[in-house]
Amino acid sequence: MESHRNATEVQMSQLVLPCHTNYRGELSIGQLLKWIDTAACLSAERHAGCPCVTASVDDIYFEHTIRLLHIKFPWEGKNETCVGQVVNIKAKVNRAFNSSMEVGVQVSYEDLCNGEQWNVCKAYATFVAQGKSNAKIRLKPLVPQTEEEKTEYSIAAERRRMRLAHTDTIKGLVTNSPVQPEHENRDCNTVVPAEKTRVESVELILPPHANHQGNTFGGQIMAWMENVATIAASRLCHAHPTLKTIEMFHFRGPSQVGDRLLFKAIVNNAFKNSMEVGVCVEAYRHEMEVSRRHINSAFMTFVVLDAEGQPRTLPVLKPESGDGERRFKEASARKKIRLDRKYVTSCKQTEVPLSVPWDQSNKVYLSYNNVTALKTLVAKANWVLAFETDKVRMYTLEEDKFLSIRIEMTVCIDTMQAFLLLSDLQRRHEWDQHYVNAELVQQVDKDDMIYRVISQTISDENKPQDFVILVSRRKPCSKGDPYVVAFRSVTLPTHPADPEYTRGETLCSGFCLWKEKDELTKVSYYYQATPAVLTYITAYIAGLSSSFHSTFLACEQFLLKNKDDDSVRLQNLSLCSLSPDSLSPDNLSPDTDTI
């Protein structure tokens, strides 16, 4: 039987030749970006059935460099013949929204001499389908088949949410977080004025630079941007820098053959071992034009490696006054966000600490991680039915040292009403005997709240347990999606561990609610047990089945009792007024999902 193959999947293999490399014999990142954009575009057009253009490319972290192997011939003194590396690129559409779609791209390279393969990077690109006269086209929905596809499909909505929130996140952090100077702890005392790193370069768009639609090829623009950023970084360190990360290419408009593209790059900030270079692209048609169109912008992080491959200490950057100081502060904010995001979202699940620190800089990524962890659990296959009555079904899943539990039932209630009731932890004690009370300690926004929960459970220390829990809720992004209420532990400075309680922790749990019919909702609760309690749960699975069953029946009675409670909806309306939700799928126009 042939295994499933995604209809949008595109596989591309490229042999790295000398013309593709930089001065160190490594594959040029600019060339790699061209290949990534090409593969992603082909995948998008397979799904759309029409031309597509690049709207954005999410942050890219480069795990390895790709070095061209030298071909040694017998007359060079060694009987050794090797060929260059092969770059393998796989792209496929993860999800289609209105007129835009997310394409996931996985890049690896293989050594043809020994067959070894390494991951290079993973990228997520957003493409927009365009019809005649650049009219946007409503895309057909994508139906995921495999567990991996279902996971990527579900999480794509969260990534889209982060893209839309990114600018506000940066502004908020720059406003609320003072920038701490780093040069006091630096060995290098050299100070370089930022203006000495400034680079400007003009490119004339010729037919070879255009794509099959007549617009400038997005991959070519990204390659030029990488080139000028590298020059700016080199002017700071007077060495050959290595590109480590790219923060979101954001295409704001097209350019065509005959346009001039002006590339501007400057080092925004130099930290101890890394520097951020900002690049922007402006387009104009004629040399006499005064106004120019902003085409793209991105931020690139470079390091300089020594002979042992370790990052060197960099000179101190003196920012220009005015805009230079603003860019300097924003670069520090982006660095903090990168570190927080890497800490929260890049670890393997078994390595993620149960409670992670909460602050304003990482709130978007903690919320993303909270919802993503639950959605990933929901998409898992191989659930085993462990207990069933006429109303309640309980499933278990053992994987990666974790035991996960799923309990579900169907309740005669409006799905939105059930969503509002179950996301309010202050009312959970009304149906869950394990809860004494829950105090709302921080209203982050309309969809994220932090509670301190007091539990009935007595710990080994003979103390009641308390928890500090982030609650993240999401409405469906499109038809067929569930309502999601995700829970995870966070560490809040204002609420340290209380000696009268044992601080408990939860890694991943929450509700998913599916609308089956009007006034009929499937309620599913998920709980992922950590290794610390796995032995206990395995030993008392029968007793826990009975406990979950009685708790869920109490939950059903709670929902039915409050199914017509209008105060719940009014409370939700007052909550929405705290923070207008421009990111809610209900409030998105058909065009706002494209950038």
Side-chain angles (χ1 to χ4, degrees):
M1 181 177 176
E2 186 178 351
S3 60
H4 167 74
R5 172 86 179 260
N6 190 309
T8 70
E9 184 176 304
V10 169
Q11 293 189 14
M12 176 187 294
S13 294
Q14 297 281 355
L15 183 66
V16 181
L17 301 175
C19 61
H20 301 141
T21 61
N22 58 23
Y23 39 80
R24 287 196 300 267
E26 297 170 351
L27 173 64
S28 162
I29 297 297
Q31 179 61 61
L32 180 59
L33 292 171
K34 289 183 184 180
W35 289 338
I36 288 175
D37 192 57
T38 300
C41 183
L42 292 173
S43 176
E45 293 184 348
R46 274 192 180 178
H47 180 71
C50 65
C52 296
V53 295
T54 312
S56 67
V57 179
D58 286 4
D59 303 358
I60 304 177
Y61 295 83
F62 297 99
E63 299 177 32
H64 292 95
T65 56
I66 304 173
R67 182 174 292 277
L68 181 66
L69 295 180
H70 178 58
I71 302 176
K72 295 184 181 294
F73 298 98
W75 55 82
E76 292 185 86
K78 291 186 178 180
N79 187 16
E80 179 182 358
T81 57
C82 292
V83 295
Q85 310 283 18
V86 169
V87 177
N88 296 310
I89 302 173
K90 183 168 71 174
K92 60 182 178 180
V93 177
N94 290 331
R95 182 161 186 164
F97 297 100
N98 293 326
S99 59
S100 71
M101 69 203 92
E102 179 191 275
V103 181
V105 184
Q106 181 69 52
V107 182
S108 63
Y109 74 94
E110 64 177 302
D111 187 332
L112 293 182
C113 294
N114 55 31
E116 290 185 294
Q117 295 197 29
W118 297 267
N119 289 327
V120 176
C121 65
K122 193 170 187 177
Y124 294 99
T126 302
F127 281 79
V128 179
Q130 291 192 326
K132 296 179 180 179
S133 302
N134 292 331
K136 291 176 182 175
I137 295 175
R138 180 169 288 274
L139 296 165
K140 60 185 178 183
L142 191 74
V143 181
Q145 300 295 324
T146 66
E147 179 182 315
E148 178 188 358
E149 289 176 4
K150 290 176 182 177
T151 301
E152 291 288 3
Y153 176 90
S154 184
I155 298 174
E158 280 303 296
R159 283 190 288 263
R160 176 178 177 232
R161 181 185 179 90
M162 282 211 304
R163 290 178 200 117
L164 295 171
H166 183 75
T167 300
D168 289 338
T169 302
I170 294 292
K171 288 180 180 178
L173 186 58
V174 171
T175 301
N176 300 320
S177 300
V179 177
Q180 300 296 329
E182 293 193 359
H183 61 270
E184 295 140 352
N185 301 322
R186 202 159 321 169
D187 298 331
C188 180
N189 295 319
T190 305
V191 178
V192 177
E195 56 265 28
K196 291 204 171 193
T197 70
R198 186 182 300 278
V199 178
E200 287 196 5
S201 179
V202 177
E203 298 285 351
L204 174 64
I205 306 302
L206 302 173
H209 304 140
N211 59 20
H212 52 304
Q213 304 160 49
N215 295 324
T216 313
F217 173 41
Q220 178 63 73
I221 294 177
M222 291 189 287
W224 281 331
M225 292 174 74
E226 187 267 339
N227 183 57
V228 295
T230 301
I231 296 172
S234 299
R235 287 181 175 175
L236 177 85
C237 59
H238 298 295
H240 297 312
T242 298
L243 180 60
K244 299 299 290 184
T245 65
I246 299 174
E247 184 172 307
M248 191 177 283
F249 290 106
H250 187 173
F251 288 89
R252 292 173 167 82
S255 58
Q256 292 81 31
V257 172
D259 280 347
R260 280 77 168 163
L261 295 186
L262 175 62
F263 295 82
K264 298 179 180 179
I266 191 171
V267 177
N268 291 330
N269 201 334
F271 310 102
K272 183 176 182 180
N273 298 122
S274 66
M275 70 185 97
E276 181 195 275
V277 179
V279 189
C280 73
V281 187
E282 297 174 348
Y284 58 98
R285 194 69 180 176
H286 304 290
E287 293 295 340
M288 301 303 295
E289 279 188 22
V290 176
S291 61
R292 293 167 178 168
R293 310 188 309 276
H294 186 183
I295 295 297
N296 203 336
S297 59
F299 301 96
M300 304 186 189
T301 303
F302 291 84
V303 298
V304 179
L305 303 178
D306 60 21
E308 284 73 38
Q310 298 302 310
R312 280 172 35 186
T313 300
L314 297 176
V316 174
L317 184 84
K318 180 182 179 182
E320 300 172 309
S321 59
D323 281 346
E325 292 173 342
R326 173 187 57 80
R327 292 194 301 267
F328 185 86
K329 293 179 181 179
E330 290 178 350
S332 293
R334 279 186 290 270
K335 180 190 176 187
K336 178 170 175 52
I337 286 178
R338 280 193 299 272
L339 294 175
D340 288 338
R341 178 175 48 205
K342 186 175 182 180
Y343 176 71
V344 171
T345 65
S346 299
C347 299
K348 295 179 181 178
Q349 192 171 24
T350 53
E351 299 171 352
V352 176
L354 296 189
S355 288
V356 292
W358 170 271
D359 64 35
Q360 288 298 108
S361 68
N362 67 1
K363 66 177 183 179
V364 172
Y365 304 102
L366 271 175
S367 177
Y368 164 84
N369 179 254
N370 191 16
V371 175
T372 295
L374 181 58
K375 287 186 172 184
T376 301
L377 188 59
V378 172
K380 294 287 186 182
N382 303 321
W383 288 94
V384 176
L385 182 64
F387 175 83
E388 182 176 18
T389 66
D390 56 342
K391 288 187 176 181
V392 180
R393 295 170 299 280
M394 175 175 166
Y395 300 84
T396 60
L397 174 67
E398 293 187 54
E399 188 179 51
D400 295 332
K401 300 180 182 180
F402 289 87
L403 175 66
S404 300
I405 296 172
R406 180 179 106 212
I407 309 104
E408 62 185 29
M409 65 181 176
T410 303
V411 184
C412 294
I413 186 174
D414 175 73
T415 310
M416 171 64 86
Q417 185 77 346
F419 170 68
L420 298 176
L421 287 166
L422 294 176
S423 61
D424 185 358
L425 285 194
Q426 290 178 303
R427 300 194 63 177
R428 184 154 172 171
H429 70 277
E430 296 180 35
W431 58 270
D432 189 343
Q433 62 180 344
H434 301 94
Y435 274 58
V436 176
N437 63 59
E439 173 196 3
L440 178 63
V441 298
Q442 186 171 335
Q443 181 69 55
V444 181
D445 54 39
K446 71 172 290 291
D447 287 324
D448 295 278
M449 297 138 278
I450 300 177
Y451 292 88
R452 186 199 175 205
V453 174
I454 306 297
S455 171
Q456 291 273 19
T457 306
I458 302 299
S459 69
D460 294 338
E461 301 170 341
N462 200 29
K463 297 178 183 178
Q465 284 188 309
D466 72 338
F467 300 81
V468 177
I469 295 178
L470 169 66
V471 178
S472 302
R473 62 183 194 175
R474 300 289 187 269
K475 296 178 183 178
C477 189
S478 52
K479 188 176 180 181
D481 285 357
Y483 289 79
V484 174
V485 185
F487 309 126
R488 76 152 301 145
S489 292
V490 293
T491 301
L492 202 60
T494 56
H495 287 73
D498 189 325
E500 295 183 8
Y501 297 88
T502 298
R503 178 56 52 88
E505 296 180 310
T506 178
L507 177 61
C508 174
S509 60
F511 290 95
C512 283
L513 312 172
W514 283 269
K515 180 177 181 179
E516 298 201 329
K517 296 179 183 177
D518 290 340
E519 298 293 320
L520 190 64
T521 299
K522 185 173 81 170
V523 179
S524 294
Y525 176 74
Y526 295 82
Y527 172 73
Q528 189 172 59
T530 58
V533 297
L534 184 59
T535 304
Y536 172 84
I537 288 182
T538 305
Y540 296 98
I541 192 72
L544 286 171
S545 299
S546 176
S547 175
F548 278 128
H549 178 248
S550 60
T551 302
F552 236 47
L553 290 180
C555 178
E556 179 191 31
Q557 294 304 311
F558 167 76
L559 293 175
L560 293 175
K561 178 182 176 181
N562 295 280
K563 64 182 296 184
D564 299 318
D565 187 350
D566 290 334
S567 66
V568 175
R569 294 186 179 88
L570 291 174
Q571 184 180 10
N572 184 61
L573 288 174
S574 65
L575 182 60
C576 290
S577 66
L578 292 175
S579 175
D581 186 21
S582 61
L583 307 183
S584 169
D586 297 335
N587 296 331
L588 285 173
S589 70
D591 297 336
T592 54
D593 73 334
T594 60
I595 294 179

